[in-house]
Amino acid sequence: METISFEIMGEAQAQGRPRAGKSYSGKTVLYDPATSRDFKQYVKLVASQHKPQELITGPAHLELTFYQPTPKKYHTKPKQALIEAGLLLPVSRPDLDNLAKGVKDSLSKIIWQDDSQVVSMMVRKFYSMTPRVEVEIRYEEE
């Protein structure tokens, strides 16, 4: 089994709800909110530095670990100790599934053909003084 691992430094942005707008021809079009679009472009840039020689065409197993910024109220030694022990976890927005969706969508046509190829996924979020996303993809080379 092959493995691709990399880190996306900075705060992850959740996949936002599509927004509706009008095109020049007057038709209604849906588009990503700017924060989602910019984050997805950044993920594509980082992922392209780790892409396999050929796009993955078979099943893929995805593991995502999101390290969210630690709120200022938790910058005390007792709270930091709880965070480091994994006992103080982020239970606020953004939702874990929306975080994962943005990353998963971004890896299409960079790492794999389509994100429907992901057959298993483990997704977690923690606090950290160093916000980032750790990505691990496992797959069978064909």
Side-chain angles (χ1 to χ4, degrees), residues 13-84:
Q13 298 296 315
Q15 174 65 44
R17 295 190 189 282
R19 303 287 184 221
K22 297 280 184 186
S23 70
Y24 290 114
S25 63
K27 293 182 179 178
T28 300
V29 293
L30 295 177
Y31 64 93
D32 264 348
T35 53
S36 296
R37 184 184 61 239
D38 293 347
F39 178 69
K40 286 163 79 171
Q41 283 299 110
Y42 177 53
V43 172
K44 286 179 185 209
L45 176 69
V46 173
S48 68
Q49 298 169 1
H50 302 276
K51 67 182 181 181
Q53 287 186 344
E54 301 281 329
L55 289 178
I56 297 169
T57 56
H61 306 274
L62 179 62
E63 187 171 322
L64 298 171
T65 306
F66 293 89
Y67 292 92
Q68 299 296 100
T70 304
K72 291 206 186 306
K73 66 182 179 181
Y74 295 155
H75 286 200
T76 64
K77 283 188 180 185
K79 295 288 188 188
Q80 285 299 310
L82 291 172
I83 288 170
E84 288 175 21

Side-chain angles (χ1 to χ4, degrees), residues 6 23 26 50 79 83 93 101 112 117 132 136:
F6 57 94
S23 70
H50 302 276
K79 295 288 188 188
I83 288 170
R93 294 185 185 274
K101 178 105 175 94
W112 47 59
Q117 292 170 240
R132 65 193 183 283
E136 183 175 294

